[in-house]
């Protein structure tokens, strides 16, 4: 290198450095910090409301939450002091890539879906459903299967990269279950169709390998079917133990679909982290769950939801007495679980089209828990902090605190005195620091 070129390099480097600093300064100046003034803010970890808070947001994270004194200069300021501020809600049981009518047979509809609905069409329909969760303040969902071969993972990635708008998705991939999965009545010649929707487990070593397959596809958790009702097959305790051990080795939680008490009992003994549904769960199993700190996702429905469903399903006047029995049974189960100390996680499992958006349908879980006798603040904690804690994300989502994701919603009303109406009146939704919905004055 000659002397002239050396001198040229010495001169040019400081100039580039100055230009780069100016560009960075301009970009930083354009991205102002955001401050939200909160009147009543829900501390989901302590299950209490705190007053007069100032939430400082930078990018997609919360910088600090402090008692309000004054608004700093040259910032984006949002005054939500006249509203109730909550962490973004979490629906811990969804099937965003699946939908069926109330009057259709579920098994036949799944077969129709996997054979006559392309992955592309299914994903696009799922994307539209996903966007609607943000409108009702649900900023995170756990999607637990019935999503084809990892379409839930693809949808999650598309949302994360900003290709489409939607809630944060924690994806399980195909449900792991015994022979037949939850698809009944399929002839022996076409059992391979079930493999397009479920991961059928064929022994202990295959159970371990199934977890490895899911890990390689980037799932966030594992979902199993402890029983396959109305199919009679169930995973063995040894198969479930193998799944749990392998999943935990990879840092993944395991939650188990269970309708019968026997399958729930076996799943809890096998070490699962949670039970989904638990419709027929016995007190002895609930006590074991409380002892082992296993959560329950009681997928309740409100009376209004059940009335709409029964009408769409074709039940005639005088044929709906079972609704009262169902609601009473579910209420007793929920109250008993709470009494025995079982952690309750909010989840809807609403994949039936009863009119309106999927988000609105999912929102019904809050009304259902309230009608079943659960206290408003307990419902909110179940749909925020507790849900996040059981996937190891209690410092990231379901909370409003320093270093957490900026998932913040506002509702108009008083959750203690008018819970249902207030929770249905969502006026502000922020996810990852981005505002998706705002109807404030």
């Amino acid at each position: 290198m000659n002397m002239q070129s050396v001198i040229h390099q010495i001169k040019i480097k400081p100039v580039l450095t100055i230009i780069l600093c100016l560009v960075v300064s301009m970009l930083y100046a354009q991205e102002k910090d955001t401050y939200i003034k909160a009147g009543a803010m829900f501390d989901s970890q302590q299950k209490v409301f705190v007053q007069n808070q100032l939430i400082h947001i930078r990018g997609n994270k919360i910088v600090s939450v402090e008692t309000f004194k004054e608004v700093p200069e040259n910032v984006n300021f949002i005054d939500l002091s006249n509203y109730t501020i909550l962490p973004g809600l979490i629906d811990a049981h969804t099937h965003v890539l699946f939908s069926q009518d109330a009057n259709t047979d579920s098994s036949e509809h799944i077969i129709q879906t996997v054979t006559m609905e392309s992955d592309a069409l299914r994903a696009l329909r799922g994307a539209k459903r996903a966007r609607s969760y943000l409108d009702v303040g649900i900023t995170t969902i756990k999607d637990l299967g019935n999503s084809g071969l990892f379409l839930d993972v693809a949808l999650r990635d598309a949302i994360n990269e900003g290709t489409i708008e939607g809630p944060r998705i924690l994806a399980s991939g195909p449900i792991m279950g015994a022979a037949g999965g939850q698809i009944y009545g399929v002839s022996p010649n076409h059992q391979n169709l079930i493999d397009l929707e479920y991961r059928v487990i064929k022994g202990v070593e295959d159970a371990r390998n199934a977890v490895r397959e899911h890990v390689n596809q980037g799932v966030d958790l594992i979902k199993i079917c402890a029983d396959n009702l109305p199919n009679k097959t169930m995973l063995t305790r040894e198969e479930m133990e193998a799944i749990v051990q392998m999943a935990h080795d990879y840092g993944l939680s395991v939650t188990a679909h269970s309708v019968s008490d026997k399958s729930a009992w076996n799943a809890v003994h096998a070490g699962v982290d949670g039970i989904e549904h638990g419709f027929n769960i016995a007190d002895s199993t609930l006590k074991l769950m409380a002892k082992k700190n296993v959560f329950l996702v009681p997928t309740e429905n409100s009376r209004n939801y059940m009335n709409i469903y029964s009408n769409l399903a074709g039940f005639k006047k005088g044929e709906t007495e079972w609704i009262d029995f169902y609601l009473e049974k579910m209420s007793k189960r929920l109250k008993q679980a709470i009494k025995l100390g079982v952690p309750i996680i909010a989840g809807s499992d609403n994949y039936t089209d009863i009119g309106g958006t999927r988000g609105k349908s999912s929102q019904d879980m809050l009304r259902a828990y309230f009608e079943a006798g659960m206290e408003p603040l307990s419902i909110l904690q179940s749909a925020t902090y507790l849900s996040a804690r059981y996937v190891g994300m209690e410092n990231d989502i379901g909370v409003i605190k320093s270093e957490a994701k900026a998932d913040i919603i506002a509702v108009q009303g008083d959750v203690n005195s008018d819970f249902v109406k207030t929770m249905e009146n969502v006026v502000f939704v922020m996810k990852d620091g981005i505002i998706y919905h705002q109807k404030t004055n």
Side-chain angles (χ1 to χ4, degrees):
M1 182 179 292
N2 60 38
M3 183 59 67
Q4 187 177 3
S5 62
V6 171
I7 294 172
H8 178 72
Q9 294 243 359
I10 292 172
K11 289 181 178 179
I12 197 70
K13 285 183 178 178
V15 174
L16 288 175
T17 302
I18 293 170
I19 293 173
L20 181 60
C21 289
L22 287 172
V23 170
V24 171
S25 298
M26 289 172 62
L27 290 174
Y28 182 77
Q30 290 173 358
E31 188 178 300
K32 295 179 181 178
D33 286 6
T34 297
Y35 284 79
I36 295 177
K37 183 181 180 183
M41 188 193 82
F42 184 56
D43 181 335
S44 58
Q45 189 169 358
Q46 300 301 321
K47 202 169 77 171
V48 296
F49 275 100
V50 291
Q51 304 295 322
N52 200 35
Q53 299 294 296
L54 186 66
I55 307 167
H56 177 192
I57 297 162
R58 180 177 298 151
N60 71 335
K61 284 196 171 187
I62 297 171
V63 176
S64 64
V65 181
E66 300 174 344
T67 301
F68 177 79
K69 295 176 183 176
E70 61 181 3
V71 181
E73 295 181 358
N74 196 33
V75 298
N76 295 317
F77 177 63
I78 303 172
D79 188 354
L80 297 178
S81 56
N82 293 325
Y83 304 96
T84 301
I85 310 304
L86 311 169
L89 302 177
I90 302 169
D91 186 342
H93 192 125
T94 71
H95 300 282
V96 73
L97 286 141
F98 184 74
S99 179
Q100 71 175 75
D101 294 332
N103 61 351
T104 59
D105 177 84
S106 62
S107 183
E108 291 180 1
H109 189 71
I110 292 175
I111 292 297
Q112 179 181 335
T113 297
V114 299
T115 58
M116 301 183 69
E117 187 175 329
S118 71
D119 284 354
L121 180 58
R122 192 171 181 180
L124 288 168
R125 288 172 171 169
K128 181 179 180 180
R129 296 183 200 115
R131 177 60 180 82
S132 68
Y133 286 93
L134 294 177
D135 297 331
V136 298
I138 297 172
T139 55
T140 301
I141 61 174
K142 280 164 62 178
D143 205 58
L144 301 181
N146 292 116
S147 51
L149 297 180
F150 302 98
L151 296 182
D152 51 350
V153 174
L155 184 60
R156 175 202 68 191
D157 292 347
I159 291 172
N160 289 346
E161 69 187 18
T163 298
I164 58 173
E165 295 180 347
R168 183 179 296 99
I169 293 180
L170 303 177
S172 74
I175 302 168
M176 299 180 188
Q182 293 175 290
I183 306 175
Y184 51 87
V186 179
S187 70
N189 291 336
H190 298 291
Q191 287 290 308
N192 62 302
L193 294 176
I194 297 169
D195 296 331
L196 299 175
E197 194 75 0
Y198 292 84
R199 176 54 169 90
V200 175
I201 302 301
K202 302 175 182 177
V204 171
E205 190 52 43
D206 189 46
R208 294 192 182 98
N209 201 49
V211 175
R212 295 188 190 100
E213 293 170 1
H214 278 52
V215 168
N216 281 340
Q217 294 300 322
V219 301
D220 301 293
L221 70 155
I222 300 295
K223 162 82 177 294
I224 67 173
C225 272
D227 61 46
N228 284 347
L229 292 174
N231 279 334
K232 296 179 180 179
T233 52
M234 293 189 291
L235 290 173
T236 67
R237 187 183 298 186
E238 291 76 17
E239 288 169 335
M240 289 189 284
E241 286 173 349
I243 290 170
V244 169
Q245 181 182 10
M246 186 63 69
H248 286 178
D249 284 348
Y250 284 108
L252 301 178
S253 62
V254 180
T255 193
H257 163 103
S258 175
V259 174
S260 70
D261 179 61
K262 179 180 178 180
S263 66
W265 177 264
N266 287 336
V268 175
H269 273 291
V272 300
D273 301 286
I275 295 293
E276 309 289 327
H277 315 304
F279 296 130
N280 297 296
I281 204 162
D283 286 358
S284 56
T285 305
L286 290 174
K287 290 176 182 177
L288 182 64
M289 290 173 66
K291 181 180 179 181
K292 299 185 70 166
N293 199 32
V294 176
F295 66 80
L296 174 67
V297 182
T299 48
E300 310 281 1
N301 294 115
S302 70
R303 180 173 292 278
N304 180 64
Y305 181 100
M306 294 306 298
N307 286 338
I308 295 173
Y309 170 84
S310 64
N311 182 56
L312 293 173
F315 288 92
K316 299 177 182 178
K317 189 175 181 180
E319 298 178 340
T320 58
E321 295 86 354
W322 59 273
I323 294 178
D324 290 333
F325 172 77
Y326 164 80
L327 293 174
E328 182 179 357
K329 181 180 179 180
M330 293 302 98
S331 177
K332 286 182 178 178
R333 182 272 313 262
L334 177 61
K335 290 176 181 176
Q336 187 67 353
I338 293 171
K339 179 181 177 181
L340 294 174
V342 178
I344 303 298
I345 306 299
S348 66
D349 191 32
N350 288 346
Y351 54 84
T352 302
D353 186 359
I354 63 167
T357 68
R358 180 63 64 88
K360 277 290 185 184
S361 184
S362 179
Q363 190 183 47
D364 180 75
M365 66 181 178
L366 304 174
R367 176 192 288 264
Y369 291 131
F370 181 75
E371 290 180 354
M374 200 169 173
E375 295 294 326
L377 296 193
S378 294
I379 299 172
L380 291 181
Q381 189 180 51
S382 293
T384 53
Y385 174 73
L386 290 181
S387 191
R389 194 178 82 185
Y390 281 93
V391 288
M393 297 183 69
E394 66 271 24
N395 292 319
D396 298 312
I397 61 175
V399 290
I400 300 177
K401 67 177 185 179
S402 176
E403 295 302 313
K405 301 286 188 184
D407 291 4
I408 298 167
I409 71 170
V411 294
Q412 188 166 25
D414 187 327
V415 296
N416 283 306
S417 63
D418 196 359
F419 179 73
V420 172
K421 184 178 179 180
T422 298
M423 293 307 298
E424 291 179 350
N425 193 5
V426 178
V427 297
F428 178 87
V429 177
M430 171 184 282
K431 177 206 153 199
D432 270 332
I434 299 173
I435 298 172
Y436 288 93
H437 177 71
Q438 186 168 10
K439 293 196 302 183
T440 54
N441 297 327

